[in-house]
Amino acid sequence: MALLTKAPKGTQDFLPPDTFDWQTIEKVLREEAIIHGFGEIRTPVFEHTELFQRSVGETTDVVQKEMYTFTDKGDRSVTLRPEGTAGAARAMLEHALYNEGFPIRLFYFTSCYRYEKPQAGRYREFHQFGVEMFGAQDPIADAQVICLAKSIFDRLGVKNLSLQINSIGCPTCRAKFQDALRTYFASHHSQLCETCLGRLERNPRRILDCKSPVCSEIAKGAPHILDYLCDDCREHFDGLKQYLDAAGVEYTVNPTIVRGLDYYTNTVFEFVSNDLGAQGTVCGGGRYNGLIEELGGKPTPGLGFGLGMERLMLLLKAQNIELPAHPHCELFIASMGPKALMRAFEITRELQKCSVMAECDVCGRSLKAQMKYADKIGAGYTMVLGDDELESGVAVLKNMKTKEQVKIRLDEDISTQFAAITAAAEDLSF
Ligand code: HAM
């Protein structure tokens, strides 16, 4: 029976009032994306499995071990999206967005699914805010995408984030790098873990991501991609650094960043925090100039990032960043008897139509229990309706904080009276 009352491992429910914080943050992210020229895209939660195999890459942990893949009733293999880039790229091609001219700038909020070992900041269902830009080859585009992420963190007041950048070059310089890596790791053949022995043949770059202590120690001495960049890739990376310098964005060049997905070329970057424990990367991204061609489109440069929403929320909490107060009931109308309840229902409805957060009793409670409830939900004002109030047409509105009481006429427009009373109370509080 526990199965019926417990969410699956690695997933979590988001409940009010925490969901108000999510909405606040999502609003900031959406606004910043729009300021930077991005439009929202929404893609399906599942795609053809092959899309992820081709884009994320057959040799990655995500494709090899972590995908939620199943055969549907039509005998098709489908996969819950492990990330947002592949779906955005597929949609860009399907709807021929390139016909409208470049650059194409898209952003999204998505749930993602990876069968990983859950721990703080790492889940099997998680949420990403992501952006993708297609059709821009110049490093100014890389700088703008990084600046967007930076603007988001700055606007939220996040501190102590380090931006780490690297270039992993184009297929030509990477081939030379792969050879150098293969030679290096082959000389440590006997110490590598089983998985890395396989990687040594197929994709030695993935050994650089290995979490086994022995392999990661060996990886520390591995050759660096930056020493193998061709002239064009070096120039591109230098260009990015110049733009970031011009924007006053601080960064560290970290030649060990390779990223866990295969589609990347040239620029890769991560925003990393020390306040998140082992899962310190709150945002990761880069360029993927070969992806669109891999999916059957014309060669089209692309780049973007994914920002982990859960990690961002954890970071805001760890840094005690204050978010706006949660909205709460402005007026609770308590009532005694069925006639008064009907009037309370009508007034509540009238106020709600005017965007006032009003509530009345819906549980058949006693007056005392209704007042207790009003207290519990932090109602700003209360009003009691009984036979006397209905007869006289006058009720008393009580400010729950100052305990001040003001009369309100039930036969006149209540929302106007309420607005005037709350405005006067706000004036007094300054
Ligand atoms: P990624 O590095 O795999 O990149 O994920 C981006 C971010 O999602 C991470 O930095 C992290 O904050 C969050 N994240 C990843 N896995 C988990 C997890 N299991 N639990 C919680 N949070 C997680 C991508 O997904 C690329 N699509 C990013 C991109 C877009 N590159 C170019 N465009």
Side-chain angles (χ1 to χ4, degrees), residues 180-425:
L181 279 182
R182 203 169 273 123
T183 309
Y184 170 78
F185 284 120
S187 69
H188 293 82
H189 190 271
S190 57
Q191 294 156 277
L192 293 178
C193 73
E194 195 79 14
T195 320
C196 284
L197 286 176
R199 289 169 170 155
L200 186 57
E201 286 312 308
R202 282 176 282 120
N203 188 353
R205 252 191 323 141
R206 293 270 80 96
I207 303 178
L208 300 170
D209 298 335
C210 183
K211 279 147 200 128
S212 116
V214 177
C215 297
S216 47
E217 195 53 41
I218 297 170
K220 283 185 190 157
H224 286 160
I225 176 70
L226 289 177
D227 296 327
Y228 294 83
L229 291 187
C230 65
D231 289 347
D232 284 353
C233 290
R234 175 160 304 286
E235 205 179 301
H236 193 275
F237 193 47
D238 288 343
L240 167 63
K241 289 187 276 184
Q242 281 161 19
Y243 281 115
L244 290 178
D245 290 339
V249 174
E250 283 178 25
Y251 55 85
T252 309
V253 175
N254 178 351
T256 66
I257 295 184
V258 286
R259 312 272 304 127
L261 313 166
D262 268 357
Y263 47 60
Y264 290 112
T265 58
N266 299 92
T267 310
V268 286
F269 63 91
E270 290 182 349
F271 283 85
V272 183
S273 167
N274 285 330
D275 295 332
L276 282 175
Q279 305 304 318
T281 307
V282 66
C283 171
R287 198 166 255 290
Y288 43 79
N289 287 347
L291 176 62
I292 297 301
E293 205 179 352
E294 182 67 35
L295 298 181
K298 287 196 183 130
T300 308
L303 69 155
F305 66 72
L307 191 158
M309 291 295 295
E310 286 82 357
R311 290 189 196 175
L312 176 60
M313 300 309 284
L314 286 171
L315 190 54
L316 296 177
K317 209 169 219 172
Q319 297 192 352
N320 294 319
I321 291 174
E322 258 190 53
L323 294 173
H326 302 140
H328 61 270
C329 175
E330 291 169 81
L331 170 61
F332 183 82
I333 307 171
S335 56
M336 288 178 289
K339 259 191 177 164
L341 179 64
M342 181 57 80
R343 190 72 187 105
F345 169 72
E346 288 165 0
I347 298 172
T348 301
R349 173 113 182 91
E350 189 185 322
L351 288 168
Q352 287 169 341
K353 277 194 200 161
C354 298
S355 305
V356 175
M357 286 178 68
E359 274 195 50
C360 62
D361 180 43
V362 292
C363 294
R365 290 186 167 115
S366 69
L367 182 63
K368 195 171 161 212
Q370 289 181 51
M371 297 311 282
K372 209 167 152 196
Y373 172 78
D375 219 33
K376 186 180 141 208
I377 62 173
Y381 288 82
T382 54
M383 181 163 91
V384 178
L385 291 186
D387 289 345
D388 288 352
E389 284 77 13
L390 294 189
E391 214 163 281
S392 66
V394 176
V396 171
L397 201 68
K398 184 171 173 187
N399 183 324
M400 296 299 278
K401 209 150 104 200
T402 63
K403 307 294 175 209
E404 197 192 343
Q405 304 200 1
V406 186
K407 285 194 176 135
I408 200 161
R409 293 210 57 88
L410 297 176
D411 51 1
E412 285 173 18
D413 181 357
I414 292 182
S415 65
T416 310
Q417 295 177 73
F418 186 69
I421 292 166
T422 50

Side-chain angles (χ1 to χ4, degrees), residues 62 66 82-86 108 112-114 116 119 121-133 259-261 263-264 269-271 279-288 303-312:
V62 171
E66 297 169 2
E83 56 98 58
T85 308
Y108 50 82
C112 300
Y113 303 86
R114 296 185 192 175
E116 292 195 85
Q119 62 179 89
R122 192 165 75 194
Y123 312 98
R124 290 183 177 170
E125 181 190 64
F126 61 97
H127 298 81
Q128 279 186 355
F129 163 75
V131 308
E132 311 295 347
M133 192 192 303
R259 312 272 304 127
L261 313 166
Y263 47 60
Y264 290 112
F269 63 91
E270 290 182 349
F271 283 85
Q279 305 304 318
T281 307
V282 66
C283 171
R287 198 166 255 290
Y288 43 79
L303 69 155
F305 66 72
L307 191 158
M309 291 295 295
E310 286 82 357
R311 290 189 196 175
L312 176 60

